[in-house]
Amino acid sequence: MPAPAIRPLAAVHLREALTAAADRDPATALAALMHIDNESWQGIEHRLAALGTDLLDVLAQTAATNGATT
């Protein structure tokens, strides 16, 4: 069974949430996440689970590293 789709606008909202987390702006991060539709949420959760993580860990890591990647 294929993973649920992530709509393009949901991907934009997720990116906005991660940017806000990197900027240590939890209110903006939460607002961006609340705009994500249910199907896209399922797709995001599915893909993160495949990577062995979840959204809370990704947000925490993004905030801890100010969005820097290794």
Side-chain angles (χ1 to χ4, degrees), residues 6-64:
I6 300 173
R7 292 187 172 95
L9 188 55
V12 169
H13 290 309
L14 179 59
R15 185 182 66 219
E16 289 171 350
L18 293 172
T19 299
D23 293 341
R24 298 178 189 259
D25 184 356
T28 300
L30 180 60
L33 292 173
M34 292 184 70
H35 284 93
I36 297 174
D37 63 279
N38 287 336
E39 182 180 348
S40 295
W41 264 120
Q42 292 172 7
I44 291 166
E45 289 175 339
H46 179 84
R47 285 164 180 80
L48 290 174
L51 295 171
T53 192
D54 61 29
L55 185 60
L56 289 178
D57 287 341
V58 170
L59 288 169
Q61 181 66 24
T62 301

